[in-house]
Amino acid sequence: MLLSLALIFLCGMLLGKIFSLLKLPSLLGLIIIGIILGPYCLNLLDDSILSISADLRELALIIILTRAGLNLDIEDLKKVGRPAVLMCFVPASFEIIGMILIAPKLFNISLLEAALMGSVVAAVSPAVLVPKMLKLIDEKYGTNKSIPQLLMAGASVDDIFVIVLFASFTSLVKGGSISALDFVKIPTSIVFGLLLGVIIGLILSKFFTKYHMRDSAKVVIILSISFILVTI
């Protein structure tokens, strides 16, 4: 496993840097190196790595979203309150509706399959968006109107919206059924998630103010709590 991790880190960093020099997204290089090292090409990765790949992806997503949250300022979000809320579901809804209207005629598929495809297309990748928005924040580009913060906040909630729709459409395609309760989960998940995040954030803020510790220790505590919340 250690050799596989070393290959992933070193080769991924190398190819990512090469793609950056070519003015291409470094993530593209990471995807390509994953394909090359994977079981369908060179097959250099240990089976134990592949067996925990789902957990590793979830771990990476938590770290990315935590990084995004730590760089969001509540005052900036207050400035773009209404647009931020609209960004959470309006773009994804239009993409899904567009796919439902166009895909059946172009690809000869059913409306349900088109809706399922639309929910996949509508999903925003935090791995792509968050690093780019953080870079814009560091460069002070668009921060006067809180544009990077708006996109990061919208993308985070957008994923919850699309994932619920994807699960519902998948159930229908497989012959299952969905109820109104499935769609009620969308706003309730967002609201309860926000409330829980605010409460835990306030508690941690007071804790870190009272007990001084290194920033690295604070990050470990925050990530550990994030892992616990995901498993609940």
Side-chain angles (χ1 to χ4, degrees), residues 29-51:
L30 299 178
I31 293 174
I32 291 175
I33 201 63
I35 295 173
I36 294 173
L37 297 177
Y40 300 104
C41 196
L42 298 181
N43 194 24
L44 297 178
L45 301 180
D46 190 88
D47 291 338
S48 58
I49 288 289
L50 300 176
S51 65

Side-chain angles (χ1 to χ4, degrees), residues 147-191:
I147 294 175
Q149 295 90 330
L150 164 67
L151 293 176
M152 281 200 298
S156 301
V157 182
D158 172 273
D159 283 341
I160 300 173
F161 175 68
V162 174
I163 287 171
V164 173
L165 290 180
F166 177 81
S168 301
F169 293 143
T170 301
S171 176
L172 288 176
V173 169
K174 291 181 178 180
S177 61
I178 59 174
S179 63
L181 183 62
D182 294 320
F183 294 99
V184 173
K185 291 179 181 178
I186 298 175
T188 55
S189 297
I190 295 172
V191 172

Side-chain angles (χ1 to χ4, degrees), residues 73-86:
D73 192 325
I74 189 65
E75 296 302 324
D76 292 331
L77 293 179
K78 288 179 180 178
K79 296 178 184 177
V80 291
R82 182 172 174 272
V85 173
L86 294 177

Side-chain angles (χ1 to χ4, degrees), residues 49-68:
I49 288 289
L50 300 176
S51 65
I52 62 172
S53 62
D55 294 321
L56 292 177
R57 291 195 299 271
E58 191 171 26
L59 174 65
L61 180 60
I62 292 172
I63 292 174
I64 291 170
L65 292 179
T66 301
R67 187 184 176 197

Side-chain angles (χ1 to χ4, degrees), residues 79-181:
K79 296 178 184 177
V80 291
R82 182 172 174 272
V85 173
L86 294 177
M87 281 290 295
C88 296
F89 62 89
V90 171
S93 298
F94 274 100
E95 290 172 17
I96 294 173
I97 292 171
M99 192 66 72
I100 292 174
L101 294 176
I102 298 174
K105 298 178 181 178
L106 290 180
F107 305 112
N108 193 28
I109 59 178
S110 67
L111 289 175
L112 278 177
E113 291 171 334
L116 185 62
M117 185 185 298
S119 64
V120 174
V121 173
V124 176
S125 173
V128 176
L129 186 139
V130 171
K132 293 297 183 184
M133 294 303 103
L134 291 177
K135 182 179 179 182
L136 292 181
I137 292 175
D138 291 337
E139 296 175 352
K140 307 296 181 182
Y141 191 82
T143 53
N144 59 325
K145 294 185 178 180
S146 303
I147 294 175
Q149 295 90 330
L150 164 67
L151 293 176
M152 281 200 298
S156 301
V157 182
D158 172 273
D159 283 341
I160 300 173
F161 175 68
V162 174
I163 287 171
V164 173
L165 290 180
F166 177 81
S168 301
F169 293 143
T170 301
S171 176
L172 288 176
V173 169
K174 291 181 178 180
S177 61
I178 59 174
S179 63
L181 183 62

Side-chain angles (χ1 to χ4, degrees), residues 74 190-208 225 229:
I74 189 65
I190 295 172
V191 172
F192 282 117
L194 287 172
L195 289 176
L196 186 60
V198 169
I199 293 171
I200 294 177
L202 291 173
I203 294 173
L204 287 177
S205 176
K206 294 183 179 298
F207 178 80
F208 292 148
I225 293 175
L229 293 176

